[in-house]
Amino acid sequence: MIKIRELYKSYGDVKAVQGISFQVKKGELFAFLGLNGAGKSTTISIMCGQTKKDSGTVLINGQDLDENTDGIKRAIGVVFQNSVLDKPLSVYDNLKTRSALYGIVGEDFEKRLKELTELFALQDILRRPVGKLSGGQRRRVDVARAIIHNPEILILDEPTTGLDPQTRKAVWSVIEKLRKERNITVFLTTHYLEEATEADYIVILDGGKIVAEGSPLQLKNAYTCDYITLYGVAEEALKRLQKPYEKIADGYRVTVKDTAEATALILKNPELFKDYEIVKGKMDDVFLAVTGKTLKGAEV
């Protein structure tokens, strides 16, 4: 659905994007990660036709950005980090105004509105001003607005920033429903790395360049260690493993290279492994390993 090759963009002496290449498959949840200045926003702006690239190739839904910008704009929907809804207007009027921009009016709009109302549970808030909605309600309307023209690709720029965990979960349940029922492709930026863990593929940017990419499992295997947490074991006995460890509240956490090494330890020392669990490194660890920085709590 998205193919980008050797994309470059500079602003004077600032090299915002430096020759990045990646592709996104249909129906995929694709995560695009990086700190401020990494090049994410510039790349998205180019994809949306808002910023002119210096060089490179951008193909979206089989269309070349240089040849059919309008066609590409119709193929994508965008949920921006900050809502672009008109707060004084009702949810109904916001959606009606946006749909008219795509030529969806009259009976066609009412039919589309009914679909979106059922999908996003908007029945009780259709006539309410957007400015009176909660953050989670407004986010549902933002997503509804973004897909009102049935785009093939949904770009989510920090879709759950500032939302409480329960509301974030509700927003993601709608997004996942879109992927499963309509096979829509989702292009995500986020600083909640647990959201990125659910992605099919991840690209990490730093300084305008791709520094790592792969599935969450591939990245964890390449850049993090596994951890075995043992309970009910004496420290003296633990030392026989000759592996780095740390004391935690109810036991000890041992660092191993990977699951294969963990399995070998368990088979060799079964008397120590009566109560234990094996956990892979997290995406936070991956991001820190490849960039030397932490993404948690930062604005992306």
Side-chain angles (χ1 to χ4, degrees):
M1 293 299 294
I2 302 173
K3 291 184 180 180
I4 291 182
R5 291 290 178 268
E6 293 297 314
L7 184 64
Y8 284 87
K9 177 63 182 178
S10 296
Y11 298 97
D13 294 332
V14 178
K15 297 179 179 179
V17 178
Q18 303 184 57
I20 67 172
S21 300
F22 63 87
Q23 63 182 25
V24 183
K25 298 177 182 177
K26 185 173 179 59
E28 193 170 56
L29 172 56
F30 180 94
F32 205 47
L33 306 180
L35 295 171
N36 276 342
K40 303 183 318 306
S41 296
T42 298
T43 302
I44 291 174
S45 184
I46 291 171
M47 289 166 53
C48 294
Q50 295 178 314
T51 298
K52 188 175 181 180
K53 60 185 171 63
D54 292 340
S55 62
T57 303
V58 177
L59 299 176
I60 297 180
N61 197 26
Q63 303 175 86
D64 192 315
L65 180 66
D66 293 332
E67 299 174 359
N68 192 1
T69 304
D70 289 340
I72 286 176
K73 288 180 179 179
R74 287 187 169 273
I76 62 177
V78 184
V79 176
F80 299 96
Q81 183 173 346
N82 297 313
S83 178
V84 295
L85 299 169
D86 293 317
K87 292 182 179 180
L89 298 182
S90 68
V91 172
Y92 177 89
D93 288 336
N94 264 280
L95 295 178
K96 185 175 182 179
T97 301
R98 267 43 175 205
S99 67
L101 297 176
Y102 293 97
I104 305 171
V105 296
E107 292 183 3
D108 290 338
F109 165 68
E110 295 298 335
K111 180 180 178 181
R112 184 67 177 135
L113 178 65
K114 183 179 179 181
E115 295 173 353
L116 294 175
T117 298
E118 294 175 357
L119 179 62
F120 293 97
L122 303 178
Q123 294 91 339
D124 296 334
I125 61 173
L126 270 180
R127 300 299 173 178
R128 291 177 60 185
V130 165
K132 299 294 184 180
L133 302 180
S134 68
Q137 291 171 330
R138 191 178 301 124
R139 231 22 179 169
R140 296 206 311 270
V141 181
D142 275 321
V143 180
R145 181 226 18 109
I147 67 164
I148 201 161
H149 58 298
N150 281 314
E152 298 286 333
I153 300 166
L154 178 61
I155 298 176
L156 302 173
D157 187 11
E158 301 286 353
T160 58
T161 295
L163 301 181
D164 62 82
Q166 183 177 356
T167 304
R168 284 168 54 197
K169 184 176 180 180
V171 171
W172 270 106
S173 68
V174 172
I175 294 169
E176 282 304 303
K177 188 174 182 180
L178 285 173
R179 291 184 62 217
K180 292 178 181 178
E181 295 183 0
R182 308 191 182 194
N183 202 29
I184 194 169
T185 303
V186 177
F187 188 103
L188 168 74
T189 76
T190 181
H191 70 257
Y192 294 116
L193 288 174
E194 65 269 28
E195 293 180 346
T197 301
E198 301 300 319
D200 298 299
Y201 201 81
I202 297 172
V203 163
I204 300 177
L205 292 180
D206 191 33
K209 297 179 180 179
I210 294 177
V211 292
E213 61 180 303
S215 69
L217 179 60
Q218 289 170 335
L219 291 173
K220 289 177 182 180
N221 284 340
Y223 296 104
T224 69
C225 299
D226 284 8
Y227 301 96
I228 313 173
T229 302
L230 293 93
Y231 306 100
V233 177
E235 185 171 4
E236 285 302 314
L238 188 70
K239 290 179 179 178
R240 299 205 310 265
L241 297 177
Q242 297 183 324
K243 295 293 178 183
Y245 69 88
E246 62 178 319
K247 180 76 172 71
I248 59 173
D250 299 314
Y252 296 91
R253 184 164 59 192
V254 179
T255 302
V256 292
K257 180 181 178 182
D258 52 30
T259 307
E261 185 175 57
T263 303
L265 282 178
I266 294 168
L267 293 175
K268 188 176 181 180
N269 305 274
E271 70 283 0
L272 296 180
F273 293 89
K274 302 298 184 182
D275 188 5
Y276 68 93
E277 57 185 351
I278 302 174
V279 178
K280 285 194 172 293
K282 299 179 180 179
M283 282 305 303
D284 304 68
D285 302 317
V286 172
F287 193 87
L288 180 61
V290 300
T291 67
K293 306 159 191 171
T294 178
L295 184 59
K296 189 174 182 180
E299 293 184 1
V300 180

